[in-house]
Amino acid sequence: MSDNPASPILLFDSGVGGLTVYDALRKVLPEAPVIYAADLAGLPYGSKTESQIAARVAGLLGRMAERFRPRLVCIACNTASTIALGMVRDVLELPVVGTVPAIKPAAALTQTGTIGLVGTEATIRQAYVDELEAQFANGKRLLRVAAPGLVAAAEAKLRGQAVDPALIDDVRDRLTAMPGGPDIDALVLACTHFPLLGEELAAAFGSDVRQVDGAAGIARRIAHLLEGQEFAAQGPNRFIVTGPLAGAEGLEAALASRGFGPAEVF
Ligand code: DGL
């Protein structure tokens, strides 16, 4: 338990996807100081190997925890969490909250029993996802597709660029072409970037397909773990990037509207 009210919550992702968790967190803990770290030098994680992701995430979070002294770390990235959550918990002496595909809530709301899951290439092949499926979607059909193009599209959208609807249509078409695909009525957004494309996904899939992500649940979990702690921010929240500052170009409006100061280099 932190006795320093200025100690931040550290939110970590490969890019801007974790801002979907940040937005949910600010609704439940508006006063909490937050440092958001985007590993832009490592983006995208989805095309990397398990060992590359685990080494990178554990190494960076170890160094960030030393520098920023957070009270809690949230890995706001499904790819990193499904691969490296256990390892990060072993190396940090801090509460660590992960982000795992929201299969449980999707299974609770599907009427047809057919759930779609969109994630990165690395996430959809994880045993962690097989375990969530066996535990929560037993007797239901879970259809998985990788959609690496949507990570880049979400990054671009937050920088004010247009999203090519063909990218989203392709994801829908690949899911629909799978056996049982036309019955999908719940879509797990198993990458924190994807809720940033909620409108585009709704346009492609239609309003009968419910989009399900874990952001609100993660925010509640963080609030629960920090219950009773005091918060005293000493300035605006910080947005930190790995690699050159130029990687954050175009994000100024998205950051300012969320109460961040200007991007900084780690
Ligand atoms: N935002 C990430 C996730 O939740 C990863 C995107 C990427 O770096 O490929 O999976």
Side-chain angles (χ1 to χ4, degrees):
M1 167 143 176
S2 174
D3 48 14
N4 173 7
S7 172
I9 296 168
L10 177 63
L11 285 189
F12 177 87
D13 182 32
S14 55
V16 297
L19 290 176
T20 54
V21 175
Y22 175 82
D23 291 342
L25 184 63
R26 294 241 298 167
K27 288 190 187 137
V28 294
L29 288 180
E31 310 297 328
V34 177
I35 296 184
Y36 185 98
D39 182 14
L40 296 181
L43 177 81
Y45 283 178
S47 54
K48 294 189 165 48
T49 65
E50 280 69 5
S51 47
Q52 285 172 328
I53 294 166
R56 186 167 186 98
V57 171
L60 269 174
L61 282 175
R63 285 163 50 217
M64 287 177 176
E66 262 180 40
R67 178 153 347 152
F68 302 126
R69 302 275 168 208
R71 66 180 80 206
L72 178 146
V73 170
C74 171
I75 306 179
C77 171
N78 289 262
T79 313
S81 298
T82 54
I83 292 168
L85 183 58
M87 184 187 268
V88 172
R89 283 193 171 135
D90 287 344
V91 298
L92 297 186
E93 286 176 23
L94 281 168
V96 181
V97 175
T99 311
V100 298
I103 293 173
K104 185 181 177 185
L109 69 82
T110 177
Q111 299 283 315
T112 63
T114 303
I115 302 163
L117 184 145
V118 202
T120 66
E121 306 99 296
T123 295
I124 67 163
R125 66 173 179 253
Q126 293 312 310
Y128 203 125
V129 181
D130 301 338
E131 285 156 24
L132 290 173
E133 178 177 359
Q135 202 179 346
F136 300 115
N138 193 10
K140 312 215 185 306
R141 199 196 302 247
L142 183 77
L143 304 176
R144 308 179 194 182
V145 291
L150 299 194
V151 174
E155 290 283 331
K157 183 178 175 185
L158 234 65
R159 289 167 175 79
Q161 294 158 33
V163 175
D164 178 1
L167 273 175
I168 320 270
D169 290 349
D170 169 64
V171 173
R172 178 204 56 208
D173 294 347
R174 282 189 287 129
L175 271 173
T176 312
M178 295 167 97
D183 295 334
I184 289 172
D185 65 349
L187 183 66
V188 179
L189 306 184
C191 169
T192 51
H193 279 76
F194 298 169
L196 294 170
L197 301 171
E199 290 158 27
E200 290 82 355
L201 286 159
F205 281 85
S207 52
D208 290 346
V209 175
R210 302 270 298 273
Q211 300 175 30
V212 189
D213 68 75
I218 295 153
R220 281 196 302 273
R221 175 81 190 134
I222 295 173
H224 173 70
L225 289 171
L226 301 182
E227 214 170 314
Q229 296 192 16
E230 284 181 25
F231 301 108
Q234 290 182 326
N237 286 333
R238 296 173 67 187
F239 186 88
I240 313 283
V241 299
T242 59
L245 202 51
E249 254 167 40
L251 287 175
E252 297 78 8
L255 299 187
S257 69
R258 289 173 167 85
F260 286 107
E264 303 166 55
V265 171
F266 176 60

